[in-house]
PDB file of all heavy atoms in Angstrom:
ATOM      1  N   VAL A1375       0.944  91.259 -16.716  1.00  0.00           N
ATOM      2  CA  VAL A1375       2.281  91.797 -17.035  1.00  0.00           C
ATOM      3  C   VAL A1375       2.494  91.662 -18.530  1.00  0.00           C
ATOM      4  O   VAL A1375       2.536  90.548 -19.061  1.00  0.00           O
ATOM      5  CB  VAL A1375       3.385  91.036 -16.255  1.00  0.00           C
ATOM      6  CG1 VAL A1375       4.761  91.448 -16.761  1.00  0.00           C
ATOM      7  CG2 VAL A1375       3.244  91.265 -14.761  1.00  0.00           C
ATOM      8  N   THR A1376       2.607  92.788 -19.221  1.00  0.00           N
ATOM      9  CA  THR A1376       2.772  92.777 -20.662  1.00  0.00           C
ATOM     10  C   THR A1376       4.225  93.068 -21.045  1.00  0.00           C
ATOM     11  O   THR A1376       4.744  94.135 -20.712  1.00  0.00           O
ATOM     12  CB  THR A1376       1.863  93.818 -21.335  1.00  0.00           C
ATOM     13  OG1 THR A1376       0.506  93.598 -20.927  1.00  0.00           O
ATOM     14  CG2 THR A1376       1.954  93.714 -22.852  1.00  0.00           C
ATOM     15  N   PRO A1377       4.896  92.142 -21.733  1.00  0.00           N
ATOM     16  CA  PRO A1377       6.292  92.400 -22.129  1.00  0.00           C
ATOM     17  C   PRO A1377       6.378  93.466 -23.216  1.00  0.00           C
ATOM     18  O   PRO A1377       5.409  93.748 -23.921  1.00  0.00           O
ATOM     19  CB  PRO A1377       6.734  91.038 -22.635  1.00  0.00           C
ATOM     20  CG  PRO A1377       5.497  90.360 -23.072  1.00  0.00           C
ATOM     21  CD  PRO A1377       4.408  90.822 -22.149  1.00  0.00           C
ATOM     22  N   ALA A1378       7.552  94.051 -23.336  1.00  0.00           N
ATOM     23  CA  ALA A1378       7.785  95.055 -24.372  1.00  0.00           C
ATOM     24  C   ALA A1378       8.058  94.380 -25.704  1.00  0.00           C
ATOM     25  O   ALA A1378       8.598  93.273 -25.764  1.00  0.00           O
ATOM     26  CB  ALA A1378       8.968  95.947 -23.981  1.00  0.00           C
ATOM     27  N   VAL A1379       7.680  95.040 -26.768  1.00  0.00           N
ATOM     28  CA  VAL A1379       7.969  94.585 -28.141  1.00  0.00           C
ATOM     29  C   VAL A1379       8.885  95.628 -28.771  1.00  0.00           C
ATOM     30  O   VAL A1379       8.511  96.788 -28.941  1.00  0.00           O
ATOM     31  CB  VAL A1379       6.681  94.419 -28.971  1.00  0.00           C
ATOM     32  CG1 VAL A1379       7.023  93.982 -30.378  1.00  0.00           C
ATOM     33  CG2 VAL A1379       5.741  93.425 -28.313  1.00  0.00           C
ATOM     34  N   PHE A1380      10.103  95.231 -29.110  1.00  0.00           N
ATOM     35  CA  PHE A1380      11.076  96.149 -29.662  1.00  0.00           C
ATOM     36  C   PHE A1380      11.093  96.054 -31.200  1.00  0.00           C
ATOM     37  O   PHE A1380      10.858  94.978 -31.747  1.00  0.00           O
ATOM     38  CB  PHE A1380      12.478  95.826 -29.128  1.00  0.00           C
ATOM     39  CG  PHE A1380      12.558  95.875 -27.612  1.00  0.00           C
ATOM     40  CD1 PHE A1380      12.482  94.695 -26.874  1.00  0.00           C
ATOM     41  CD2 PHE A1380      12.696  97.069 -26.945  1.00  0.00           C
ATOM     42  CE1 PHE A1380      12.542  94.702 -25.484  1.00  0.00           C
ATOM     43  CE2 PHE A1380      12.751  97.102 -25.540  1.00  0.00           C
ATOM     44  CZ  PHE A1380      12.674  95.904 -24.827  1.00  0.00           C
ATOM     45  N   ASP A1381      11.386  97.155 -31.833  1.00  0.00           N
ATOM     46  CA  ASP A1381      11.375  97.218 -33.296  1.00  0.00           C
ATOM     47  C   ASP A1381      12.648  96.553 -33.835  1.00  0.00           C
ATOM     48  O   ASP A1381      13.748  97.078 -33.719  1.00  0.00           O
ATOM     49  CB  ASP A1381      11.335  98.680 -33.747  1.00  0.00           C
ATOM     50  CG  ASP A1381      11.112  98.820 -35.244  1.00  0.00           C
ATOM     51  OD1 ASP A1381      11.441  97.876 -36.001  1.00  0.00           O
ATOM     52  OD2 ASP A1381      10.601  99.875 -35.691  1.00  0.00           O
ATOM     53  N   ALA A1382      12.450  95.378 -34.452  1.00  0.00           N
ATOM     54  CA  ALA A1382      13.606  94.609 -34.936  1.00  0.00           C
ATOM     55  C   ALA A1382      14.352  95.347 -36.033  1.00  0.00           C
ATOM     56  O   ALA A1382      15.581  95.222 -36.173  1.00  0.00           O
ATOM     57  CB  ALA A1382      13.143  93.247 -35.454  1.00  0.00           C
ATOM     58  N   SER A1383      13.656  96.150 -36.838  1.00  0.00           N
ATOM     59  CA  SER A1383      14.312  96.870 -37.926  1.00  0.00           C
ATOM     60  C   SER A1383      15.278  97.920 -37.402  1.00  0.00           C
ATOM     61  O   SER A1383      16.257  98.274 -38.060  1.00  0.00           O
ATOM     62  CB  SER A1383      13.273  97.527 -38.823  1.00  0.00           C
ATOM     63  OG  SER A1383      12.570  98.536 -38.141  1.00  0.00           O
ATOM     64  N   GLU A1384      15.042  98.434 -36.191  1.00  0.00           N
ATOM     65  CA  GLU A1384      15.929  99.408 -35.581  1.00  0.00           C
ATOM     66  C   GLU A1384      17.076  98.750 -34.823  1.00  0.00           C
ATOM     67  O   GLU A1384      18.213  99.174 -34.908  1.00  0.00           O
ATOM     68  CB  GLU A1384      15.141 100.313 -34.615  1.00  0.00           C
ATOM     69  CG  GLU A1384      14.113 101.198 -35.298  1.00  0.00           C
ATOM     70  CD  GLU A1384      13.362 102.040 -34.295  1.00  0.00           C
ATOM     71  OE1 GLU A1384      13.448 101.765 -33.082  1.00  0.00           O
ATOM     72  OE2 GLU A1384      12.653 102.981 -34.721  1.00  0.00           O
ATOM     73  N   TRP A1385      16.736  97.685 -34.097  1.00  0.00           N
ATOM     74  CA  TRP A1385      17.741  97.080 -33.220  1.00  0.00           C
ATOM     75  C   TRP A1385      18.617  96.046 -33.896  1.00  0.00           C
ATOM     76  O   TRP A1385      19.685  95.717 -33.391  1.00  0.00           O
ATOM     77  CB  TRP A1385      17.070  96.463 -31.997  1.00  0.00           C
ATOM     78  CG  TRP A1385      16.581  97.516 -31.043  1.00  0.00           C
ATOM     79  CD1 TRP A1385      15.315  98.007 -30.935  1.00  0.00           C
ATOM     80  CD2 TRP A1385      17.382  98.225 -30.087  1.00  0.00           C
ATOM     81  NE1 TRP A1385      15.262  98.976 -29.966  1.00  0.00           N
ATOM     82  CE2 TRP A1385      16.519  99.146 -29.438  1.00  0.00           C
ATOM     83  CE3 TRP A1385      18.713  98.183 -29.719  1.00  0.00           C
ATOM     84  CZ2 TRP A1385      16.966  99.991 -28.421  1.00  0.00           C
ATOM     85  CZ3 TRP A1385      19.194  99.049 -28.734  1.00  0.00           C
ATOM     86  CH2 TRP A1385      18.315  99.931 -28.089  1.00  0.00           C
ATOM     87  N   LEU A1386      18.176  95.533 -35.045  1.00  0.00           N
ATOM     88  CA  LEU A1386      18.971  94.512 -35.726  1.00  0.00           C
ATOM     89  C   LEU A1386      19.628  95.015 -37.000  1.00  0.00           C
ATOM     90  O   LEU A1386      20.065  94.237 -37.821  1.00  0.00           O
ATOM     91  CB  LEU A1386      18.112  93.268 -36.036  1.00  0.00           C
ATOM     92  CG  LEU A1386      17.505  92.561 -34.839  1.00  0.00           C
ATOM     93  CD1 LEU A1386      16.775  91.317 -35.264  1.00  0.00           C
ATOM     94  CD2 LEU A1386      18.571  92.223 -33.801  1.00  0.00           C
ATOM     95  N   GLU A1387      19.665  96.326 -37.177  1.00  0.00           N
ATOM     96  CA  GLU A1387      20.325  96.881 -38.374  1.00  0.00           C
ATOM     97  C   GLU A1387      21.794  96.556 -38.328  1.00  0.00           C
ATOM     98  O   GLU A1387      22.381  96.390 -37.249  1.00  0.00           O
ATOM     99  CB  GLU A1387      20.110  98.394 -38.431  1.00  0.00           C
ATOM    100  CG  GLU A1387      20.722  99.136 -37.269  1.00  0.00           C
ATOM    101  CD  GLU A1387      20.380 100.613 -37.286  1.00  0.00           C
ATOM    102  OE1 GLU A1387      19.643 101.034 -38.183  1.00  0.00           O
ATOM    103  OE2 GLU A1387      20.892 101.321 -36.403  1.00  0.00           O
ATOM    104  N   GLU A1388      22.400  96.410 -39.469  1.00  0.00           N
ATOM    105  CA  GLU A1388      23.816  96.040 -39.532  1.00  0.00           C
ATOM    106  C   GLU A1388      24.686  97.129 -38.913  1.00  0.00           C
ATOM    107  O   GLU A1388      24.472  98.322 -39.154  1.00  0.00           O
ATOM    108  CB  GLU A1388      24.244  95.824 -40.984  1.00  0.00           C
ATOM    109  CG  GLU A1388      23.586  94.636 -41.632  1.00  0.00           C
ATOM    110  CD  GLU A1388      23.951  93.323 -40.975  1.00  0.00           C
ATOM    111  OE1 GLU A1388      25.024  93.263 -40.361  1.00  0.00           O
ATOM    112  OE2 GLU A1388      23.152  92.363 -41.051  1.00  0.00           O
ATOM    113  N   PRO A1389      25.674  96.770 -38.110  1.00  0.00           N
ATOM    114  CA  PRO A1389      26.593  97.759 -37.532  1.00  0.00           C
ATOM    115  C   PRO A1389      27.479  98.354 -38.608  1.00  0.00           C
ATOM    116  O   PRO A1389      27.661  97.757 -39.671  1.00  0.00           O
ATOM    117  CB  PRO A1389      27.411  96.944 -36.528  1.00  0.00           C
ATOM    118  CG  PRO A1389      27.379  95.556 -37.092  1.00  0.00           C
ATOM    119  CD  PRO A1389      26.033  95.406 -37.728  1.00  0.00           C
ATOM    120  N   PRO A1390      28.038  99.584 -38.376  1.00  0.00           N
ATOM    121  CA  PRO A1390      28.892 100.209 -39.371  1.00  0.00           C
ATOM    122  C   PRO A1390      30.149  99.429 -39.702  1.00  0.00           C
ATOM    123  O   PRO A1390      30.688  99.551 -40.787  1.00  0.00           O
ATOM    124  CB  PRO A1390      29.241 101.558 -38.717  1.00  0.00           C
ATOM    125  CG  PRO A1390      28.996 101.356 -37.265  1.00  0.00           C
ATOM    126  CD  PRO A1390      27.863 100.393 -37.174  1.00  0.00           C
ATOM    127  N   SER A1391      30.607  98.595 -38.766  1.00  0.00           N
ATOM    128  CA  SER A1391      31.791  97.787 -39.036  1.00  0.00           C
ATOM    129  C   SER A1391      31.466  96.343 -38.695  1.00  0.00           C
ATOM    130  O   SER A1391      30.570  96.043 -37.931  1.00  0.00           O
ATOM    131  CB  SER A1391      32.961  98.275 -38.181  1.00  0.00           C
ATOM    132  OG  SER A1391      32.627  98.196 -36.808  1.00  0.00           O
ATOM    133  N   SER A1392      32.210  95.418 -39.293  1.00  0.00           N
ATOM    134  CA  SER A1392      31.939  94.003 -39.077  1.00  0.00           C
ATOM    135  C   SER A1392      32.272  93.615 -37.644  1.00  0.00           C
ATOM    136  O   SER A1392      33.157  94.180 -37.021  1.00  0.00           O
ATOM    137  CB  SER A1392      32.780  93.165 -40.036  1.00  0.00           C
ATOM    138  OG  SER A1392      34.153  93.414 -39.841  1.00  0.00           O
ATOM    139  N   VAL A1393      31.534  92.643 -37.119  1.00  0.00           N
ATOM    140  CA  VAL A1393      31.745  92.155 -35.748  1.00  0.00           C
ATOM    141  C   VAL A1393      32.012  90.656 -35.812  1.00  0.00           C
ATOM    142  O   VAL A1393      31.368  89.941 -36.559  1.00  0.00           O
ATOM    143  CB  VAL A1393      30.490  92.424 -34.880  1.00  0.00           C
ATOM    144  CG1 VAL A1393      30.713  91.915 -33.463  1.00  0.00           C
ATOM    145  CG2 VAL A1393      30.158  93.894 -34.877  1.00  0.00           C
ATOM    146  N   ALA A1394      32.991  90.227 -35.044  1.00  0.00           N
ATOM    147  CA  ALA A1394      33.315  88.775 -35.052  1.00  0.00           C
ATOM    148  C   ALA A1394      32.123  87.970 -34.596  1.00  0.00           C
ATOM    149  O   ALA A1394      31.325  88.412 -33.757  1.00  0.00           O
ATOM    150  CB  ALA A1394      34.507  88.540 -34.104  1.00  0.00           C
ATOM    151  N   ASN A1395      31.990  86.782 -35.156  1.00  0.00           N
ATOM    152  CA  ASN A1395      30.911  85.850 -34.817  1.00  0.00           C
ATOM    153  C   ASN A1395      29.540  86.337 -35.227  1.00  0.00           C
ATOM    154  O   ASN A1395      28.520  85.883 -34.708  1.00  0.00           O
ATOM    155  CB  ASN A1395      30.898  85.563 -33.306  1.00  0.00           C
ATOM    156  CG  ASN A1395      32.183  84.954 -32.810  1.00  0.00           C
ATOM    157  OD1 ASN A1395      32.792  84.140 -33.509  1.00  0.00           O
ATOM    158  ND2 ASN A1395      32.638  85.403 -31.630  1.00  0.00           N
ATOM    159  N   ALA A1396      29.486  87.309 -36.133  1.00  0.00           N
ATOM    160  CA  ALA A1396      28.180  87.834 -36.573  1.00  0.00           C
ATOM    161  C   ALA A1396      27.431  86.770 -37.364  1.00  0.00           C
ATOM    162  O   ALA A1396      28.006  85.974 -38.098  1.00  0.00           O
ATOM    163  CB  ALA A1396      28.376  89.094 -37.422  1.00  0.00           C
ATOM    164  N   THR A1397      26.106  86.777 -37.198  1.00  0.00           N
ATOM    165  CA  THR A1397      25.257  85.871 -37.934  1.00  0.00           C
ATOM    166  C   THR A1397      24.946  86.469 -39.292  1.00  0.00           C
ATOM    167  O   THR A1397      24.595  87.659 -39.380  1.00  0.00           O
ATOM    168  CB  THR A1397      23.938  85.618 -37.165  1.00  0.00           C
ATOM    169  OG1 THR A1397      24.259  85.090 -35.885  1.00  0.00           O
ATOM    170  CG2 THR A1397      23.045  84.672 -37.903  1.00  0.00           C
ATOM    171  N   PRO A1398      25.024  85.736 -40.396  1.00  0.00           N
ATOM    172  CA  PRO A1398      24.726  86.268 -41.712  1.00  0.00           C
ATOM    173  C   PRO A1398      23.334  86.883 -41.739  1.00  0.00           C
ATOM    174  O   PRO A1398      22.393  86.374 -41.124  1.00  0.00           O
ATOM    175  CB  PRO A1398      24.809  85.039 -42.626  1.00  0.00           C
ATOM    176  CG  PRO A1398      25.711  84.100 -41.901  1.00  0.00           C
ATOM    177  CD  PRO A1398      25.436  84.317 -40.456  1.00  0.00           C
ATOM    178  N   SER A1399      23.176  87.995 -42.493  1.00  0.00           N
ATOM    179  CA  SER A1399      21.891  88.682 -42.553  1.00  0.00           C
ATOM    180  C   SER A1399      20.797  87.812 -43.105  1.00  0.00           C
ATOM    181  O   SER A1399      19.625  88.043 -42.838  1.00  0.00           O
ATOM    182  CB  SER A1399      22.033  89.974 -43.374  1.00  0.00           C
ATOM    183  OG  SER A1399      22.489  89.656 -44.691  1.00  0.00           O
ATOM    184  N   ALA A1400      21.158  86.785 -43.872  1.00  0.00           N
ATOM    185  CA  ALA A1400      20.125  85.904 -44.430  1.00  0.00           C
ATOM    186  C   ALA A1400      19.398  85.147 -43.335  1.00  0.00           C
ATOM    187  O   ALA A1400      18.262  84.724 -43.496  1.00  0.00           O
ATOM    188  CB  ALA A1400      20.777  84.909 -45.393  1.00  0.00           C
ATOM    189  N   ASN A1401      20.075  84.997 -42.179  1.00  0.00           N
ATOM    190  CA  ASN A1401      19.460  84.283 -41.068  1.00  0.00           C
ATOM    191  C   ASN A1401      18.919  85.243 -40.013  1.00  0.00           C
ATOM    192  O   ASN A1401      18.754  84.887 -38.864  1.00  0.00           O
ATOM    193  CB  ASN A1401      20.480  83.359 -40.400  1.00  0.00           C
ATOM    194  CG  ASN A1401      20.958  82.286 -41.342  1.00  0.00           C
ATOM    195  OD1 ASN A1401      20.186  81.813 -42.184  1.00  0.00           O
ATOM    196  ND2 ASN A1401      22.221  81.912 -41.217  1.00  0.00           N
ATOM    197  N   ARG A1402      18.647  86.481 -40.428  1.00  0.00           N
ATOM    198  CA  ARG A1402      18.254  87.521 -39.498  1.00  0.00           C
ATOM    199  C   ARG A1402      17.020  87.113 -38.709  1.00  0.00           C
ATOM    200  O   ARG A1402      16.076  86.551 -39.247  1.00  0.00           O
ATOM    201  CB  ARG A1402      17.977  88.819 -40.247  1.00  0.00           C
ATOM    202  CG  ARG A1402      17.295  89.882 -39.400  1.00  0.00           C
ATOM    203  CD  ARG A1402      17.405  91.265 -39.997  1.00  0.00           C
ATOM    204  NE  ARG A1402      18.780  91.713 -39.945  1.00  0.00           N
ATOM    205  CZ  ARG A1402      19.154  92.913 -40.395  1.00  0.00           C
ATOM    206  NH1 ARG A1402      18.308  93.725 -40.951  1.00  0.00           N
ATOM    207  NH2 ARG A1402      20.399  93.272 -40.310  1.00  0.00           N
ATOM    208  N   LYS A1403      17.003  87.430 -37.419  1.00  0.00           N
ATOM    209  CA  LYS A1403      15.863  87.150 -36.559  1.00  0.00           C
ATOM    210  C   LYS A1403      14.755  88.163 -36.879  1.00  0.00           C
ATOM    211  O   LYS A1403      14.997  89.220 -37.411  1.00  0.00           O
ATOM    212  CB  LYS A1403      16.255  87.263 -35.103  1.00  0.00           C
ATOM    213  CG  LYS A1403      17.581  86.597 -34.738  1.00  0.00           C
ATOM    214  CD  LYS A1403      17.596  85.107 -34.992  1.00  0.00           C
ATOM    215  CE  LYS A1403      18.931  84.520 -34.595  1.00  0.00           C
ATOM    216  NZ  LYS A1403      19.003  83.073 -34.829  1.00  0.00           N
ATOM    217  N   GLU A1404      13.547  87.804 -36.536  1.00  0.00           N
ATOM    218  CA  GLU A1404      12.445  88.669 -36.953  1.00  0.00           C
ATOM    219  C   GLU A1404      11.665  89.313 -35.829  1.00  0.00           C
ATOM    220  O   GLU A1404      10.780  90.131 -36.080  1.00  0.00           O
ATOM    221  CB  GLU A1404      11.499  87.884 -37.845  1.00  0.00           C
ATOM    222  CG  GLU A1404      10.773  86.756 -37.157  1.00  0.00           C
ATOM    223  CD  GLU A1404       9.676  86.162 -38.031  1.00  0.00           C
ATOM    224  OE1 GLU A1404       9.766  86.310 -39.254  1.00  0.00           O
ATOM    225  OE2 GLU A1404       8.773  85.573 -37.460  1.00  0.00           O
ATOM    226  N   ALA A1405      11.919  88.950 -34.595  1.00  0.00           N
ATOM    227  CA  ALA A1405      11.173  89.543 -33.488  1.00  0.00           C
ATOM    228  C   ALA A1405      12.055  89.707 -32.260  1.00  0.00           C
ATOM    229  O   ALA A1405      12.940  88.893 -32.019  1.00  0.00           O
ATOM    230  CB  ALA A1405       9.963  88.684 -33.149  1.00  0.00           C
ATOM    231  N   ILE A1406      11.809  90.789 -31.512  1.00  0.00           N
ATOM    232  CA  ILE A1406      12.530  91.039 -30.257  1.00  0.00           C
ATOM    233  C   ILE A1406      11.511  91.380 -29.193  1.00  0.00           C
ATOM    234  O   ILE A1406      10.751  92.331 -29.354  1.00  0.00           O
ATOM    235  CB  ILE A1406      13.549  92.179 -30.364  1.00  0.00           C
ATOM    236  CG1 ILE A1406      14.417  92.041 -31.608  1.00  0.00           C
ATOM    237  CG2 ILE A1406      14.426  92.237 -29.124  1.00  0.00           C
ATOM    238  CD1 ILE A1406      15.391  93.187 -31.777  1.00  0.00           C
ATOM    239  N   GLU A1407      11.503  90.627 -28.120  1.00  0.00           N
ATOM    240  CA  GLU A1407      10.586  90.877 -27.010  1.00  0.00           C
ATOM    241  C   GLU A1407      11.353  90.818 -25.690  1.00  0.00           C
ATOM    242  O   GLU A1407      12.403  90.183 -25.599  1.00  0.00           O
ATOM    243  CB  GLU A1407       9.463  89.833 -26.997  1.00  0.00           C
ATOM    244  CG  GLU A1407       8.620  89.842 -28.270  1.00  0.00           C
ATOM    245  CD  GLU A1407       7.582  88.728 -28.273  1.00  0.00           C
ATOM    246  OE1 GLU A1407       7.540  87.924 -27.320  1.00  0.00           O
ATOM    247  OE2 GLU A1407       6.808  88.679 -29.239  1.00  0.00           O
ATOM    248  N   GLY A1408      10.838  91.518 -24.699  1.00  0.00           N
ATOM    249  CA  GLY A1408      11.534  91.506 -23.413  1.00  0.00           C
ATOM    250  C   GLY A1408      10.885  92.467 -22.430  1.00  0.00           C
ATOM    251  O   GLY A1408       9.671  92.669 -22.415  1.00  0.00           O
ATOM    252  N   PHE A1409      11.730  93.063 -21.589  1.00  0.00           N
ATOM    253  CA  PHE A1409      11.231  93.916 -20.513  1.00  0.00           C
ATOM    254  C   PHE A1409      12.154  95.120 -20.312  1.00  0.00           C
ATOM    255  O   PHE A1409      13.383  94.984 -20.352  1.00  0.00           O
ATOM    256  CB  PHE A1409      11.158  93.113 -19.208  1.00  0.00           C
ATOM    257  CG  PHE A1409      10.184  91.990 -19.230  1.00  0.00           C
ATOM    258  CD1 PHE A1409      10.593  90.744 -19.702  1.00  0.00           C
ATOM    259  CD2 PHE A1409       8.888  92.166 -18.815  1.00  0.00           C
ATOM    260  CE1 PHE A1409       9.694  89.672 -19.740  1.00  0.00           C
ATOM    261  CE2 PHE A1409       7.984  91.111 -18.849  1.00  0.00           C
ATOM    262  CZ  PHE A1409       8.378  89.866 -19.321  1.00  0.00           C
ATOM    263  N   TRP A1410      11.550  96.263 -20.073  1.00  0.00           N
ATOM    264  CA  TRP A1410      12.314  97.417 -19.632  1.00  0.00           C
ATOM    265  C   TRP A1410      12.655  97.250 -18.152  1.00  0.00           C
ATOM    266  O   TRP A1410      11.854  96.730 -17.404  1.00  0.00           O
ATOM    267  CB  TRP A1410      11.524  98.716 -19.794  1.00  0.00           C
ATOM    268  CG  TRP A1410      11.302  99.164 -21.216  1.00  0.00           C
ATOM    269  CD1 TRP A1410      10.109  99.186 -21.889  1.00  0.00           C
ATOM    270  CD2 TRP A1410      12.272  99.675 -22.125  1.00  0.00           C
ATOM    271  NE1 TRP A1410      10.296  99.660 -23.159  1.00  0.00           N
ATOM    272  CE2 TRP A1410      11.618  99.978 -23.326  1.00  0.00           C
ATOM    273  CE3 TRP A1410      13.647  99.879 -22.033  1.00  0.00           C
ATOM    274  CZ2 TRP A1410      12.272 100.490 -24.436  1.00  0.00           C
ATOM    275  CZ3 TRP A1410      14.317 100.408 -23.142  1.00  0.00           C
ATOM    276  CH2 TRP A1410      13.636 100.709 -24.316  1.00  0.00           C
ATOM    277  N   ILE A1411      13.817  97.754 -17.765  1.00  0.00           N
ATOM    278  CA  ILE A1411      14.179  97.818 -16.353  1.00  0.00           C
ATOM    279  C   ILE A1411      13.936  99.245 -15.908  1.00  0.00           C
ATOM    280  O   ILE A1411      14.615 100.174 -16.328  1.00  0.00           O
ATOM    281  CB  ILE A1411      15.663  97.434 -16.114  1.00  0.00           C
ATOM    282  CG1 ILE A1411      15.863  95.955 -16.462  1.00  0.00           C
ATOM    283  CG2 ILE A1411      16.053  97.700 -14.658  1.00  0.00           C
ATOM    284  CD1 ILE A1411      17.277  95.461 -16.187  1.00  0.00           C
ATOM    285  N   ALA A1412      12.895  99.423 -15.073  1.00  0.00           N
ATOM    286  CA  ALA A1412      12.567 100.761 -14.599  1.00  0.00           C
ATOM    287  C   ALA A1412      13.643 101.274 -13.669  1.00  0.00           C
ATOM    288  O   ALA A1412      14.330 100.502 -13.002  1.00  0.00           O
ATOM    289  CB  ALA A1412      11.218 100.726 -13.865  1.00  0.00           C
ATOM    290  N   ARG A1413      13.838 102.576 -13.580  1.00  0.00           N
ATOM    291  CA  ARG A1413      14.833 103.227 -12.739  1.00  0.00           C
ATOM    292  C   ARG A1413      16.206 102.579 -12.911  1.00  0.00           C
ATOM    293  O   ARG A1413      16.786 102.071 -11.938  1.00  0.00           O
ATOM    294  CB  ARG A1413      14.406 103.158 -11.272  1.00  0.00           C
ATOM    295  CG  ARG A1413      13.096 103.840 -10.947  1.00  0.00           C
ATOM    296  CD  ARG A1413      12.695 103.694  -9.492  1.00  0.00           C
ATOM    297  NE  ARG A1413      12.387 102.314  -9.153  1.00  0.00           N
ATOM    298  CZ  ARG A1413      13.159 101.532  -8.430  1.00  0.00           C
ATOM    299  NH1 ARG A1413      14.311 101.978  -7.953  1.00  0.00           N
ATOM    300  NH2 ARG A1413      12.802 100.290  -8.155  1.00  0.00           N
ATOM    301  N   PRO A1414      16.750 102.550 -14.124  1.00  0.00           N
ATOM    302  CA  PRO A1414      18.033 101.862 -14.350  1.00  0.00           C
ATOM    303  C   PRO A1414      19.228 102.537 -13.690  1.00  0.00           C
ATOM    304  O   PRO A1414      20.357 102.070 -13.857  1.00  0.00           O
ATOM    305  CB  PRO A1414      18.146 101.889 -15.873  1.00  0.00           C
ATOM    306  CG  PRO A1414      17.362 103.095 -16.304  1.00  0.00           C
ATOM    307  CD  PRO A1414      16.221 103.135 -15.366  1.00  0.00           C
ATOM    308  N   TRP A1415      18.986 103.590 -12.960  1.00  0.00           N
ATOM    309  CA  TRP A1415      20.059 104.245 -12.210  1.00  0.00           C
ATOM    310  C   TRP A1415      20.126 103.706 -10.759  1.00  0.00           C
ATOM    311  O   TRP A1415      20.996 104.076  -9.994  1.00  0.00           O
ATOM    312  CB  TRP A1415      19.843 105.747 -12.159  1.00  0.00           C
ATOM    313  CG  TRP A1415      18.449 106.117 -11.735  1.00  0.00           C
ATOM    314  CD1 TRP A1415      17.967 106.242 -10.458  1.00  0.00           C
ATOM    315  CD2 TRP A1415      17.352 106.354 -12.596  1.00  0.00           C
ATOM    316  NE1 TRP A1415      16.633 106.550 -10.470  1.00  0.00           N
ATOM    317  CE2 TRP A1415      16.214 106.639 -11.790  1.00  0.00           C
ATOM    318  CE3 TRP A1415      17.184 106.383 -13.984  1.00  0.00           C
ATOM    319  CZ2 TRP A1415      14.962 106.917 -12.305  1.00  0.00           C
ATOM    320  CZ3 TRP A1415      15.915 106.663 -14.513  1.00  0.00           C
ATOM    321  CH2 TRP A1415      14.827 106.931 -13.681  1.00  0.00           C
TER     322      TRP A1415
END
């Protein structure tokens, strides 16, 4: 079973507006891994 590797540069880009409790960009995480849920309907 191979987990998915998500592109951190796409998923961790700063949102257009500020969000409460946001982590400063200096502490940005560098990797995102997980699993797709097949047939999400």
Side-chain angles (χ1 to χ4, degrees):
V1375 171
T1376 305
V1379 179
F1380 303 98
D1381 189 336
S1383 65
E1384 294 179 347
W1385 287 98
L1386 299 185
E1387 63 185 2
E1388 294 296 335
S1391 59
S1392 59
V1393 180
N1395 301 321
T1397 301
S1399 58
N1401 297 326
R1402 169 163 291 181
K1403 315 299 181 180
E1404 65 171 23
I1406 312 178
E1407 299 176 357
F1409 296 88
W1410 290 111
I1411 294 183
R1413 299 177 294 107
W1415 49 85

